[in-house]
Amino acid sequence: MQDWHRLKISELFEKLDSSPEGLSSAEAKKRSQQHGLNELEKRKKAPAIIRFLKHATNFFALLLWTGALLAFIAEYLAPGEGNLYIGVALGTVVLLNAVFSFYQESKAEQAMDAFKKMMPDQAKVLRDGAEVQLLAREIVPGDVFILEEGDKVPADARLFEANALKVDNSSLTGESEPQLRSIDFTHKNILESRNMAFSSTTVLTGSGKAVVYATGMDTQIGKVAGLTETIEAKHTPIHRELQFFIKVISIIAIILGVGFFGLGFFFERGFWQNMIFAIGIIVANVPEGLLPTVTLALSISSQKMARKNALIKNLESVETLGCTTVICTDKTGTITQNRMSVNSVLLGDSLVDTGAVHDKTDFDKLLHACVLCNNSNITRNDIGYDYVGDPMEGSLLVFAGEHIDIEKTRQAVTRTKEEPFDSLTKRMITVNSYRSGKAAYMKGAPEVVIKKCSHILIDGSAEKITKAHQRMLEEHSRSFSGRGERVLAFAYKKSRYGFSDSELESGYTFIGLLGMLDPPRPDVDTAVAKCKKAGIKIIMITGDHPLTAESIARKVGIISSEDPTIVSGDELSGMDNDRLKRILKEKEVLFARTSPQQKLKIVKALQEIGEIVAVTGDGVNDAPALKNADIGVAMGKCGTDVAKEAADMVLVDDNFSTIVNAVEEGRTIYENIKNFIVYILTSNVPEIIPFIVFVLFGLPLPLTVVLILAIDLGTDLIPALGLATEKLESDTMEQKPRSKDDRLLTKRMIFRSYCVVGMLEAAAGFTSYFFILYRGGWSWGQELAYNNPLYMKAVTGFFVAIIITQIANVMISRVRRQSVFKQGIFSNKIILLGIAVELALAGFISYSPVAHTYLHTASLSFFEFFMATPFALFIFFADELRRLIIRKSRKAKEYMEL
């Protein structure tokens, strides 16, 4: 890579084959063909219709399309038996699922749009030696553009003229403090060097000229955008599990359907009888309402989280939070309040009370340094102050404003020069002109400022600084940092006539130290404790000093051991991936003085050792890490649009506790999804067995395919949705995060659904079915037409029996460990609504003439309608007993382990 910031101006123009007068129009046209347009490019993707059809023709969809096609064929050959409704229902389910999947995929591909919004539309460029207004996309390498206050920089460029030019680089670096520009090389890092202007940044004050060296995807913002765009969106754990679940259930359906289709010929049944039977088996096995129910459940959870200040962009990310094993969090504004205040003051060699009124000259000097070596502004409000600019500088003004008039102090001087703070010099200098002469004020890192001082101000007198003074100041600085404070040192020097550049680097008089504290948010320690109890590891990744980071981490409980692992950004830069992985496996780890690029390195290493990672970020450079993480969390208040687009979740209040609340919701929704899968699988058994009995024993078919769909897409839907909104069990956040290898569908779940509760429901159905048949005079082996009143009544009885027993099933599916009575019988209003709808729909299908006509059902007596109630009560109380035994055995095990 060419070090454009290091070149001399003459070498720069030579390399770019340009001049201060810019390019000719002909040359610019030629270069445009060579380099392309100055715009951010999206990767080419398949047309929307192709991507939609992909979702409408996956394995699950093809299975349902096949069922729909066979239903239409059956309707054509044997009209009036309800197969038309079956085909329409199955086709509708496929289209709804495809729309949902396509929408989710489209939402995940919008990150590049936020980058494009940051690019300017037009720019002032020198072409053929004259200033012209051009579309920014037409700029090419070698062009010279003019910058003025309010302009957005159109491309990456090297400055060769700068007049009091300051830029806002926050869109690229996340740093809110205005950055002074010059034509001099000032830093080996191109992003820190003052002679550079970068695409998408904004001119705050001043003017300048620059020559373009990179456009489009070759710019710094283009590289970040390209990295973000090329990182493939990861499938969430719930997505992978649902796909696995659907595949298993579909394979079972196909095997049973094909197997019993062939078995029908063995029993000498006709082709179309066997075909209808195969359709019934497939429809009974496939959970048609699963994906719509999951979508609605995740949507409801995301709305609940929005009320708790967490905005979810990708619905499936709700559940991902539940299996998060590591949270990588920033410090400032997330763990802390991002409201810095002066907490400790050292004047010369004496600690003083920050709230006391001082009349000493030393204190006045310190206050003047706070105000005059500062670029922020504050305004007083009803409860205190609001500040605009860097939070640290704002806190200095708030502190000074309690003792002196800031506006009057600034009006008394004229700033003639400024050397802004950067990561290389670690200090800021301003030169201010008074009537009596000039004064230079310096603030910065204590280790830097102390070295530039020849004297120290003690009790109004400037004494020559000694090594003992230096040691004393260093000890106080470490003490402040050890309390979690950000420490700044202040110094000044005076001259009657002014200062040369060399004179500004030495000969200062030391004034004092200020320790500023950004206190932890009041509820963070509780949230951290909850995470630790839930088995979630928290790693703080911050740009702050290691001592400050460690102090805050200790205060909130992120680290508690005497010897935690603290890694600096410099150490991380030279660290290989294997060593990083070993460090990340340690119990307590903290990263300090790190960059956003290093955050991505940490996230990838964590994922490589099998962790499910949630990561916070706010800047443009955080976007790759946010997108690569299993769950990216952007800051709502201070985050850039790019960070918010790349993330899966946005914290409205920038609060760490909100993440923990979201994790709790994620765990709850995963448990609830498992619960409603158990619920909907259970009804498969009483839906499948009638078809098996139909083939093996030649009985009239006890349940029609249309009524199966009425259960799967009608009566089961609202109760299943109610299960998805069930409140968490009291010990949910005391469990370890589930392994990413854990299956949504387990052998225990299949046994419970298919072999226990499902069989009891089937028994209830057959009890009602045979009671009605025998009571109506039917004898074994007697064939009944599909429109025979007795047959229709018996089928209705079987259908209603499933509904009654499913009411008991939905109640026991609400919890996995606790008693339903402890959870609250009437606490879930949606389940109560679902039960009411189930009974209403069962009543409609049983007693409505419309249903009798189209669904071939018949009216039941009161006794026949509720005949399955004893089975429902047995299911409910038997499962209560099962859970009681589990709780007792678990408590006994815990007692034995004490």
Side-chain angles (χ1 to χ4, degrees):
M1 182 182 73
Q2 180 69 55
D3 290 333
W4 297 103
H5 57 311
R6 294 177 182 268
L7 296 176
K8 294 179 181 178
I9 296 293
S10 57
E11 293 175 335
L12 178 72
F13 282 114
E14 185 180 343
K15 285 272 187 186
L16 293 168
D17 194 17
S18 183
S19 72
E21 286 73 41
L23 301 174
S24 65
S25 298
E27 179 63 21
K29 185 177 181 180
K30 180 180 173 183
R31 295 191 185 192
S32 180
Q33 293 171 346
Q34 180 183 351
H35 296 280
L37 294 173
N38 177 35
E39 60 185 7
L40 302 182
E41 301 168 0
K42 272 193 172 185
R43 284 189 302 165
K44 287 186 177 179
K45 292 183 173 69
I49 185 64
I50 299 297
R51 287 184 283 131
F52 176 78
L53 290 175
K54 180 182 174 183
H55 293 295
T57 54
N58 58 29
F59 182 77
F60 182 58
L62 288 174
L63 183 65
L64 293 181
W65 280 129
T66 302
L69 179 63
L70 293 173
F72 289 134
I73 293 173
E75 176 67 22
Y76 175 75
L77 296 171
E81 295 187 8
N83 290 304
L84 175 64
Y85 310 126
I86 296 170
V88 172
L90 292 177
T92 303
V93 168
V94 175
L95 292 175
L96 284 174
N97 289 339
V99 168
F100 159 67
S101 301
F102 176 73
Y103 172 76
Q104 287 294 97
E105 181 185 87
S106 300
K107 286 285 288 181
E109 293 177 353
Q110 294 176 357
M112 182 61 77
D113 296 336
F115 285 100
K116 287 193 169 185
K117 289 177 185 176
M118 299 172 68
M119 305 295 289
D121 294 324
Q122 294 191 321
K124 294 181 281 291
V125 182
L126 294 179
R127 285 277 174 90
D128 301 313
E131 180 182 328
V132 294
Q133 193 88 5
L134 290 180
L135 291 174
R137 65 199 295 266
E138 296 175 0
I139 288 177
V140 297
D143 261 328
V144 170
F145 59 73
I146 299 167
L147 293 175
E148 295 176 348
E149 185 173 324
D151 288 345
K152 270 194 174 182
V153 179
D156 284 5
R158 166 75 181 274
L159 291 161
F160 62 90
E161 283 186 22
N163 305 304
L165 182 64
K166 286 186 180 179
V167 296
D168 176 6
N169 281 347
S170 61
S171 64
L172 189 62
T173 65
E175 296 174 2
S176 58
E177 188 175 354
Q179 302 293 308
L180 185 68
R181 301 289 91 178
S182 71
I183 63 172
D184 300 319
F185 163 66
T186 59
H187 200 290
K188 61 183 179 181
N189 183 344
I190 193 169
L191 289 173
E192 298 278 0
S193 189
R194 292 182 195 162
N195 59 359
M196 306 305 293
F198 299 105
S199 177
S200 81
T201 61
T202 306
V203 177
L204 297 177
T205 60
S207 61
K209 289 182 181 178
V211 58
V212 176
Y213 67 86
T215 58
M217 297 302 287
D218 293 326
T219 60
Q220 294 292 329
I221 195 75
K223 290 172 184 175
V224 176
L227 182 58
T228 305
E229 179 81 349
T230 54
I231 292 174
E232 294 293 336
K234 294 180 175 293
H235 285 310
T236 60
I238 191 65
H239 178 90
R240 294 192 294 268
E241 283 305 302
L242 285 173
Q243 293 304 310
F244 174 78
F245 169 74
I246 288 169
K247 189 173 290 186
V248 169
I249 294 298
S250 299
I251 289 172
I252 291 173
I254 291 172
I255 291 172
L256 288 175
V258 172
F260 281 94
F261 176 77
L263 192 63
F265 288 110
F266 178 78
F267 285 95
E268 298 181 348
R269 295 190 174 277
F271 177 84
W272 287 110
Q273 266 191 316
N274 292 336
M275 180 61 69
I276 292 170
F277 168 69
I279 294 172
I281 285 285
I282 291 172
V283 171
N285 265 283
V286 173
E288 295 86 1
L290 175 66
L291 291 184
T293 307
V294 170
T295 304
L296 287 170
L298 293 174
S299 180
I300 289 170
S301 285
S302 70
Q303 290 171 18
K304 286 168 65 178
M305 290 168 71
R307 291 193 291 270
K308 298 177 182 178
N309 294 317
L311 301 180
I312 296 293
K313 292 173 55 194
N314 180 358
L315 288 180
E316 291 178 355
S317 299
V318 175
E319 186 279 329
T320 306
L321 281 160
C323 57
T324 296
T325 58
V326 176
I327 298 175
C328 294
T329 178
D330 294 323
K331 179 185 75 67
T332 304
T334 309
I335 298 293
T336 63
Q337 299 177 27
N338 198 23
R339 298 290 297 181
M340 299 192 77
S341 60
V342 174
N343 190 62
S344 303
V345 179
L346 177 78
L347 275 179
D349 58 356
S350 304
L351 290 169
V352 299
D353 183 358
T354 58
V357 177
H358 300 272
D359 57 4
K360 295 171 62 176
T361 306
D362 314 40
F363 194 63
D364 284 341
K365 284 276 188 245
L366 180 62
L367 297 177
H368 277 71
C370 288
V371 173
L372 299 177
C373 194
N374 195 313
N375 283 323
S376 290
N377 291 291
I378 65 169
T379 55
R380 186 180 286 275
N381 57 36
D382 294 337
I383 59 173
Y385 292 94
D386 288 324
Y387 54 78
V388 178
D390 180 70
M392 183 175 64
E393 290 200 332
S395 69
L396 295 177
L397 292 183
V398 171
F399 171 65
E402 298 294 334
H403 304 281
I404 62 173
D405 188 322
I406 294 173
E407 199 63 35
K408 188 175 178 181
T409 302
R410 284 182 164 172
Q411 289 174 355
V413 303
T414 302
R415 182 180 294 185
T416 58
K417 187 168 185 178
E418 176 187 336
E419 289 286 338
F421 181 92
D422 64 39
S423 59
L424 181 66
T425 61
K426 296 183 180 178
R427 54 95 182 111
M428 175 181 179
I429 299 172
T430 62
V431 178
N432 301 274
S433 179
Y434 292 83
R435 289 181 181 177
S436 58
K438 295 183 182 292
Y441 290 98
M442 177 189 291
K443 79 167 187 278
E447 63 271 22
V448 172
V449 175
I450 292 170
K451 288 180 181 178
K452 296 183 182 294
C453 292
S454 57
H455 291 76
I456 181 170
L457 193 63
I458 298 177
D459 294 329
S461 176
E463 299 180 8
K464 192 167 181 63
I465 200 164
T466 64
K467 288 189 176 180
H469 286 132
Q470 291 176 341
R471 285 194 297 271
M472 175 270 297
L473 295 174
E474 288 166 1
E475 286 171 7
H476 280 295
S477 176
R478 282 194 296 271
S479 175
F480 288 7
S481 293
R483 295 198 294 263
E485 297 173 5
R486 186 175 293 180
V487 188
L488 284 178
F490 295 83
Y492 80 104
K493 67 186 301 186
K494 285 187 173 182
S495 170
R496 187 170 181 82
Y497 303 106
F499 309 96
S500 65
D501 289 345
S502 60
E503 287 174 331
L504 284 176
E505 296 299 329
S506 61
Y508 285 82
T509 298
F510 185 87
I511 306 172
L513 297 175
L514 287 184
M516 285 156 291
L517 188 65
D518 182 9
R521 290 177 179 267
D523 50 354
V524 167
D525 54 350
T526 304
V528 169
K530 190 182 286 188
C531 275
K532 287 193 169 184
K533 198 171 185 180
I536 300 170
K537 185 175 183 177
I538 302 171
I539 298 177
M540 184 190 287
I541 304 174
T542 178
D544 273 340
H545 190 281
L547 285 174
T548 304
E550 181 182 358
S551 175
I552 293 294
R554 285 192 185 280
K555 283 183 179 180
V556 299
I558 291 175
I559 59 175
S560 56
S561 64
E562 293 183 5
D563 190 27
T565 301
I566 301 176
V567 182
S568 70
D570 289 340
E571 291 173 321
L572 185 57
S573 296
M575 191 178 293
D576 63 54
N577 213 37
D578 290 336
R579 188 181 168 210
L580 176 57
K581 288 178 186 177
R582 287 195 299 272
I583 287 173
L584 289 170
K585 289 178 182 178
E586 294 182 17
K587 188 176 180 181
E588 294 181 343
V589 187
L590 188 153
F591 292 89
R593 296 291 198 214
T594 53
S595 67
Q597 292 87 343
Q598 289 173 324
K599 188 182 290 186
L600 176 59
K601 181 179 179 179
I602 295 167
V603 169
K604 286 184 173 180
L606 283 166
Q607 290 172 326
E608 287 171 12
I609 59 176
E611 305 287 1
I612 303 293
V613 186
V615 61
T616 66
D618 53 14
V620 171
N621 278 356
D622 286 324
L626 290 170
K627 190 167 184 183
N628 197 80
D630 296 285
I631 176 83
V633 182
M635 302 298 108
K637 288 183 178 179
C638 62
T640 60
D641 288 342
V642 172
K644 292 173 188 175
E645 286 291 343
D648 303 292
M649 181 172 82
V650 178
L651 300 184
V652 176
D653 58 357
D654 295 1
N655 193 341
F656 179 81
S657 298
T658 303
I659 303 176
V660 181
N661 292 336
V663 168
E664 196 169 67
E665 184 65 34
R667 288 193 173 192
T668 303
I669 193 63
Y670 181 76
E671 292 293 314
N672 289 346
I673 287 173
K674 290 189 81 165
N675 290 343
F676 74 62
I677 283 177
V678 167
Y679 170 73
I680 61 176
L681 281 183
T682 301
S683 62
N684 282 1
V685 176
E687 291 172 355
I688 293 169
I689 290 180
F691 288 90
I692 296 174
V693 171
F694 167 71
V695 170
L696 297 182
F697 301 107
L699 290 173
L701 184 61
L703 190 67
T704 63
V705 178
V706 175
L707 290 179
I708 290 174
L709 285 174
I711 294 170
D712 290 352
L713 297 176
T715 61
D716 273 359
L717 212 55
I718 296 179
L721 189 58
L723 287 173
T725 64
E726 186 66 42
K727 66 183 181 181
L728 79 164
E729 295 184 54
S730 59
D731 61 349
T732 297
M733 285 300 282
E734 295 174 13
Q735 310 295 320
K736 299 295 182 187
R738 69 177 182 85
S739 169
K740 65 179 181 179
D741 297 323
D742 284 356
R743 302 257 68 122
L744 191 62
L745 183 65
T746 64
K747 292 177 182 177
R748 186 174 296 178
M749 288 169 61
I750 292 174
F751 178 79
R752 177 203 179 281
S753 298
Y754 281 23
C755 301
V756 182
V757 182
M759 286 297 184
L760 288 169
E761 290 191 5
F766 279 110
T767 299
S768 296
Y769 179 72
F770 284 121
F771 176 83
I772 293 169
L773 283 180
Y774 280 116
R775 195 179 185 186
W778 176 81
S779 58
W780 190 273
Q782 179 184 348
E783 291 190 4
L784 296 172
Y786 76 92
N787 56 358
N788 182 291
L790 179 62
Y791 171 70
M792 291 192 296
K793 187 175 184 179
V795 168
T796 307
F798 198 108
F799 167 78
V800 172
I802 295 176
I803 302 302
I804 298 295
T805 50
Q806 277 289 83
I807 291 173
N809 185 28
V810 75
M811 295 303 290
I812 66 174
S813 296
R814 292 172 58 194
V815 287
R816 300 180 67 194
R817 296 173 295 275
Q818 289 181 176
S819 166
V820 176
F821 294 103
K822 183 178 180 180
Q823 191 78 349
I825 290 284
F826 304 108
S827 61
N828 192 320
K829 299 298 187 292
I830 297 181
I831 283 182
L832 295 179
L833 173 65
I835 291 172
V837 170
E838 277 189 299
L839 291 172
L841 191 55
F844 173 80
I845 289 173
S846 298
Y847 302 111
S848 166
V850 175
H852 294 168
T853 302
Y854 291 100
L855 302 181
H856 301 105
T857 56
S859 298
L860 301 174
S861 68
F862 181 86
F863 176 78
E864 290 166 341
F865 193 95
F866 289 103
M867 185 179 291
T869 302
F871 289 91
L873 292 172
F874 179 79
I875 289 169
F876 180 85
F877 286 107
D879 202 68
E880 272 289 296
L881 178 62
R882 178 187 68 84
R883 277 179 272 111
L884 175 63
I885 293 169
I886 289 173
R887 292 195 301 275
K888 292 288 186 183
S889 62
R890 182 171 295 173
K891 285 182 180 178
K893 183 179 178 182
E894 289 173 356
Y895 177 79
M896 294 295 290
E897 290 175 350
L898 291 176

